[in-house]
Amino acid sequence: MRFSPIAQISRSALKHNIARLRQVAPHSKIMAVLKANAYGHGVIQLAQWLDGVDGFGLARIEEALTLRDSGIGARLVLLEGVFNEEDLEQAAHHQLDVVVHDAEQVAMICNAELSQPLRIWLKIDSGMHRLGVQPAQFDDLYQQLSQSNNVQQPINLMTHFAVADELENPQTVKQIQCFNKLTKGLPGERTLCNSAGALSWPAAHGDWIRPGLALFGANPMVGGRAEQQDLTPVMTMRSKVLTVRALAAGEPVGYGQSWRSNKDTHIAVVAMGYGDGYPRHAVSGTPVLINGKRFPLAGRVSMDMITVDVGHANVEVGDDVVLWGQGLGVEEIAECASTICYELLCSTTARVAYQYID
Ligand SMILES: *Cc1c(COP(=O)(O)O)cnc(C)c1O
């Protein structure tokens, strides 16, 4: 038996989540966002499994070229655009859609000599204030791009929400209004929604939704859980119990002796630590599933191990452990570690083996 963690990645869960997103936004195409190695799930395998979707979103050109190199012919969109002429020509050559979000990129595109015209998405800063052209610049930059021979017409249109995960926050309505006002009557396709937008802001669905997290079966809404949205976790992080030891009342466990048992109990040591991507800030009490039952983390997370208070339950060396995934939502673990489930999914390290299952 091997005592090391395995990230199990489920194809049927992924299919379920895609079907769910199609049901949520029946009139929109899906740009499946697979940046950061498909949120830690393995980008090539996931792109192959997702051959039915309409396109893929990536953050950086290296990510898109990895997919092209492995024979993925689908529509690929560079969500951060490109930053130099060499990459611009690569994008044209490999038929990558490019997001354009500032005046420098517009000038570079208009002045470049390209082997073929680019398909572009002009991104508007409707209130996120990270990327995107300012509303006051929009008409001018749109005109420049619509007259350029380097650009396939019509120009597609995009924006990104800052707080789509907060239902009560009026900011999203303001962003939708800003985007709609600027783009009224223009011919291109439109995309506004990440996962939270797709799940909670139907008025903004547009021609394409851009889900990342929801594809992988986690709920992006603040305090949300996958089941509330009928999503199924694609990744289940599994490991094994390495040893079980008795611990007397009052004795501490682990580095810093930060946790002490208030009763006679047993501690299961599990082969999973921050060196594998388990969050070091997970507090004592964070749930861990052993043989399908929840037990509390006890003491600090180490590099290779965690310690779990299993009381007098029947837990033995080699028993199955789930750190997050099926039966234990990654959202809950993220909350116990004061982070977001996006970070946990992306943090899996190279030491963890991947197993792709149906
Ligand atoms: C990452 C990203 C997405 C996907 O966001 P999720 O919250 O994971 O659905 C969509 N659009 C852009 C521009 C992104 O950078």
Side-chain angles (χ1 to χ4, degrees), residues 33 35 39 79 123 130 158 160 193-196 210-214 220 342:
V33 177
K35 61 193 179 188
Y39 293 40
L79 295 171
K123 180 169 184 175
R130 190 180 60 178
M158 173 175 166
H160 193 58
C193 289
N194 56 3
S195 295
R210 307 189 305 270
L213 192 76
Y342 295 77

Side-chain angles (χ1 to χ4, degrees), residues 21-135:
L21 286 161
R22 292 222 184 269
Q23 181 188 44
V24 162
H27 307 296
S28 305
K29 291 182 251 188
I30 294 183
M31 184 191 302
V33 177
L34 299 186
K35 61 193 179 188
N37 195 28
Y39 293 40
H41 291 68
V43 67
I44 294 173
Q45 181 65 72
L46 273 269
Q48 285 167 351
W49 279 358
L50 287 168
D51 59 0
V53 303
D54 308 284
F56 299 121
L58 292 317
R60 306 195 179 138
I61 193 165
E62 297 85 346
E63 297 177 325
L65 294 177
T66 300
L67 289 183
R68 281 284 183 264
D69 288 347
S70 62
I72 304 286
R75 192 157 168 191
L76 303 181
V77 182
L78 297 178
L79 295 171
E80 289 180 3
V82 292
F83 301 91
N84 61 60
E85 283 175 31
E86 202 178 315
D87 285 353
L88 196 62
E89 174 49 33
Q90 286 274 318
H93 177 75
H94 291 281
Q95 301 186 339
L96 309 177
D97 285 32
V98 172
V99 169
V100 178
H101 53 72
D102 67 18
E104 285 71 29
Q105 289 179 325
V106 172
M108 183 174 73
I109 289 170
C110 292
N111 296 329
E113 282 189 32
L114 298 177
S115 55
Q116 48 185 321
L118 287 166
R119 191 146 51 180
I120 68 166
W121 296 80
L122 182 56
K123 180 169 184 175
I124 297 168
D125 177 8
S126 59
M128 173 81 166
H129 302 327
R130 190 180 60 178
L131 298 182
V133 304
Q134 297 310 308

Side-chain angles (χ1 to χ4, degrees), residues 325-352:
Q326 297 285 345
L328 184 62
V330 68
E331 301 92 337
E332 188 176 353
I333 306 306
E335 284 169 17
C336 292
S338 305
T339 184
I340 53 175
C341 44
Y342 295 77
E343 189 184 21
L344 289 195
L345 294 173
C346 289
S347 300
T348 302
T349 68
R351 189 163 73 160
V352 175

